[in-house]
Amino acid sequence: MTPPFADRVKTIQQSDIRRFSAICAAMNGVNLSQGVCDQPAPDVVKEAAKQAIDDNHAIYTNLRGTAGLRRAIAEKMRSFNGIECDPETQIAVNVGSAGAFACMVLSSLNPGDECIIFSPFYSYHVNLLKLLGINIKYVDLQPPDWQYSQEALAAAFTERTRMVLINTPGNPTGKVFTEAELLAIADLATKHDAWIVTDEIYEYITYDKKHVSIGRFPQAKERTVTISGASKTFAVTGWRIGYAVGPAEMIDRISVVNDLFYICAPAPLQHGIEAGLQLDISYYENMCADYLVKRDLLVDTLRSIGFSPHIPDGSYYMLASFAPDRWVDGTAATESILKQVGVATVPGSAFYRNPEDGKYQLRFCYAKQMKDLEDACQRLRKLGSGAVVGVKST
Ligand code: GLN
């Protein structure tokens, strides 16, 4: 028997996202489970990182990240997000956007404080908050267009509310929050003097809708921390380069917490991302066009096998429903599909405040190279429509 564990990790376990990804790897299947984004990074990003290694950029960087990367982020925040920020005082480079989020929560919330989250949610947000003893108040996004009720949002605020968390474009729904929704959130957060944290890691992946950053609104500026990173934009999820942008006083704290945990993000990789941020608009346009083709291929495939996909407006995930008489729940569906055709997905229940709401849903990730996605779709088509009367697979 080992000595006892801390209370906060007594019930902690590996996420469904990673669990099915690992099983898939072990059986050499096609992974549409974890958003690993296994596509090639732009050459300019890779070359600059290699050059930085050759140039011996091997030591700790400033605790806020390299000056060059922060300048490049500030320029991107101005031109893409419409947010003016000082690269010296208002940007902290972190170990991934997950690192930025953790440092932000540690800098703003005490155990017992409340954070408002929209459900479906990205499970890592929720589990990190739980780990740190934060109470979560959920507001449901209603399918098919994932709108929330203004009354429900207003009712979720209490005198203990210290943060409202937005994820736009959202994982797993692909919801892109509208300007009107963001302004309403900003009003309530101001009224209750709460922080607004907005995770915009999928900001460059939108289809018909335009990405809007809540941090650009003057009324939200003093309470908003915008989190993003390089993982999805440059397909470098394992490089762990993320950042937080916000009021100088908060960025000071985030930088010091970041220093205590990580010292700094990997130095040569910061140089690679700085180079990536110089890419012109055509890079981002091509990326979106590519994801649109992949999204539509997956939509067609899922419809042909009897699923009802929720078509995302952004990000590279898709929730899709199956008939309740086909599998007993999402876990059974995930296991059965993996076993039958070797394609990994995530049970929808992992993303809902009330797991029952996602019981007959799966999340599919289409951030794959086209040949791999085509392989996955061919395999999925072998499942057939599932419409055969009397057949119930578990
Ligand atoms: N964001 C990705 C997902 O939702 C992967 C993150 C992770 O592995 N935790 O699948």
Side-chain angles (χ1 to χ4, degrees), residues 91-149:
I91 297 175
V93 175
N94 303 103
V95 177
S97 61
F101 180 60
C103 292
M104 172 59 191
V105 173
L106 282 161
S107 301
S108 53
L109 303 182
N110 290 313
D113 285 349
E114 289 176 6
C115 174
I116 294 176
I117 290 205
F118 295 92
S119 170
F121 46 73
Y122 172 45
S123 51
Y124 280 60
H125 286 148
V126 163
N127 292 339
L128 186 278
L129 288 162
K130 286 184 179 166
L131 185 71
L132 298 176
I134 312 305
N135 292 331
I136 301 171
K137 291 280 186 159
Y138 297 96
V139 175
D140 287 331
L141 299 170
Q142 304 291 349
D145 48 6
W146 306 113
Q147 290 197 10
Y148 63 86
S149 123

Side-chain angles (χ1 to χ4, degrees), residues 35-96:
V36 286
C37 199
D38 43 354
Q39 310 175 95
D43 285 342
V44 61
V45 171
K46 292 191 283 198
E47 292 309 321
K50 286 188 238 177
Q51 191 61 48
I53 291 174
D54 286 343
D55 291 346
N56 294 313
H57 288 294
I59 59 168
Y60 309 131
T61 70
N62 181 293
L63 79 167
R64 293 161 184 264
T66 66
L69 176 56
R70 279 181 284 127
R71 277 196 299 273
I73 293 169
E75 172 50 27
K76 170 260 173 195
M77 293 306 295
R78 188 191 63 73
S79 58
F80 180 72
N81 305 85
I83 297 173
E84 297 285 344
C85 61
D86 176 355
E88 286 302 314
T89 60
Q90 291 186 276
I91 297 175
V93 175
N94 303 103
V95 177

